[in-house]
Amino acid sequence: MRVLVTGGAGFIGSHIVDELLREGHEPSVLDVRRPPPHLAEAADVRWHHADIRDPAPLRHALRDVDAVCHQAAMVGLGKDFADAPAYVSVNDHGTALLLAAMADAGVERLVLAGSMVVYGEGRYDCPTHGPVRPGPRGADRLAAGEFEPPCPRCGAPLVPGLVTEDAPTDPRNVYATTKLAQEHLAAAWARATGGRATSLRYHNVYGDRMPRDTPYAGVASFFRSALEAGRAPRVFEDGGQLRDFVHVTDVAAANVAALTSDTVRPEGELRAFNVGSGERRTIGEMARALADAHGGPAPVVTGEYRLGDVRHITASPARAHAALGWTPRVAFAPGMRAFANAELREAG
């Protein structure tokens, strides 16, 4: 299969290119960045050095391809709301331009880099009222160290659970809003063209080639960059936030499985899949595992917080296992040991 990978020079995208090559496919790449060193001389990969929002090279890149794996995006929570125009421009306008060009070129398969952030908070159960959906956490409660969202009906403590793909979406920040908009655009494209669209809702992806020292990277990169610089990882809140940390090679394998499966993407529809390890871990656990494997310094729990962060978000990957035949291979403990000394890339 001939697959255009947008953002294929980046962290996740470059691993997808690796996996496509291993599986005997023909990847090409559209990215504003230069390829990583191990792919720079790859004779069997075509490189289009361009922005996703530049129509001419985008049209050229889509010639003679069978599918698109759309990874190009501005990621992370960012610095403040001043980032909003850039997020919308890259993530949503860029996606709209890509989908329009795909419609013109007759490309009918799309796999989108989705995100678990579209759910907002994860699933919660109240002992009295059953499944409930707590609202955004306010600054007053967070400043007082009250990090757990209470039952919105009775105020009781809640039990976090696993989110399924059918849960209502509730994006809590600009980045999350743009990721959900990408899914809506892809669904509209599929209905209009009869194309097949899949969104892979990534959980907290980590692994080699993560960008270092940037406010747009994930928490794993923040901690790993701090350790490399000899600083203690700074853990926000009390470190008890539940997340699912999934290795980038498993995410790449999920993308190739979605690209090559014909049984899970009915024509004219978008279907979403959670892509996670299935292991629930706290951010504090992750920081300690990295620090131990790196040889210190030990993490510091600061009590700081960021408005827009959610407390717990872990999801069931059962649908991806059943429909895609995909199973993650890298468990938390060995994955963190490897990542503790893995190569990071410079930001940008």
Side-chain angles (χ1 to χ4, degrees), residues 101 107 118 144 147 177 188 206 227 236 284 300 336:
V107 181
V118 301
F147 302 123
T177 302
Y206 73 96
L227 289 165
F236 280 17
V300 175
M336 288 296 163

Side-chain angles (χ1 to χ4, degrees), residues 4-5 7 9 28-35 46-54 56-58 60-61 348:
L4 174 65
V5 183
S28 56
V29 173
L30 176 77
D31 204 313
V32 293
R33 294 162 295 192
R34 296 299 179 186
R46 288 186 299 148
W47 291 89
H48 305 273
H49 184 67
D51 192 293
I52 191 71
R53 296 163 293 182
D54 193 340
L58 180 58
H60 179 71

Side-chain angles (χ1 to χ4, degrees), residues 1-2 17-27 44 256:
M1 180 182 291
R2 295 163 298 182
V17 173
D18 290 345
E19 185 72 9
L20 286 166
L21 289 170
R22 273 193 294 270
E23 293 296 319
H25 299 288
E26 301 176 35
D44 43 1
V256 175

Side-chain angles (χ1 to χ4, degrees), residues 77-88 173-175 177:
L77 191 59
K79 292 178 285 189
D80 53 42
F81 198 80
D83 287 327
Y87 275 108
V88 172
N173 55 58
V174 170
Y175 170 64
T177 302

Side-chain angles (χ1 to χ4, degrees), residues 29 32 34 112 134 139 155 183 192 204 227 231 237 242 276 292 316 336 340-341:
V29 173
V32 293
R34 296 299 179 186
L112 172 68
E183 290 194 358
N204 288 69
L227 289 165
R231 304 189 306 268
E237 301 186 17
L242 283 169
D292 289 346
S316 169
M336 288 296 163
N341 295 289

Side-chain angles (χ1 to χ4, degrees), residues 52-53 72-95 117 173-179 181-182 185 214-217 222 306:
I52 191 71
R53 296 163 293 182
M74 186 173 176
V75 301
L77 191 59
K79 292 178 285 189
D80 53 42
F81 198 80
D83 287 327
Y87 275 108
V88 172
S89 177
V90 175
N91 295 357
D92 298 337
H93 185 219
T95 297
V117 296
N173 55 58
V174 170
Y175 170 64
T177 302
T178 65
K179 295 306 289 183
Q182 284 185 316
L185 287 165
T214 167
Y216 304 98
F222 295 159
R306 296 191 304 180

Side-chain angles (χ1 to χ4, degrees), residues 108-255:
E108 298 178 346
R109 293 173 180 241
L110 171 73
V111 174
L112 172 68
S115 175
M116 54 85 177
V117 296
V118 301
Y119 297 118
E121 287 284 354
R123 176 192 170 98
Y124 291 90
D125 290 288
C126 172
T128 302
H129 297 106
V132 295
R133 295 183 59 79
R137 298 180 297 163
D140 290 347
R141 289 182 61 88
L142 292 169
E146 298 174 359
F147 302 123
E148 295 288 345
C151 175
R153 298 178 63 183
C154 67
L158 299 174
V159 178
L162 297 178
V163 175
T164 64
E165 292 87 348
D166 298 324
T169 53
D170 185 17
R172 299 286 177 91
N173 55 58
V174 170
Y175 170 64
T177 302
T178 65
K179 295 306 289 183
L180 183 57
Q182 284 185 316
E183 290 194 358
H184 289 317
L185 287 165
W189 165 83
R191 287 191 294 270
T193 66
R196 296 176 176 180
T198 303
S199 178
L200 300 181
R201 292 174 176 170
Y202 302 158
H203 283 254
N204 288 69
V205 187
Y206 73 96
D208 58 297
R209 301 179 216 155
M210 281 196 89
R212 72 171 86 238
D213 299 326
T214 167
Y216 304 98
V219 66
S221 177
F222 295 159
F223 293 166
R224 176 66 176 74
S225 295
L227 289 165
E228 188 173 62
R231 304 189 306 268
R234 295 176 62 82
V235 180
F236 280 17
E237 301 186 17
D238 60 0
Q241 308 94 305
L242 283 169
R243 298 291 188 270
D244 183 321
F245 299 99
V246 59
H247 197 269
V248 66
T249 57
D250 286 330
V251 173
N255 273 271

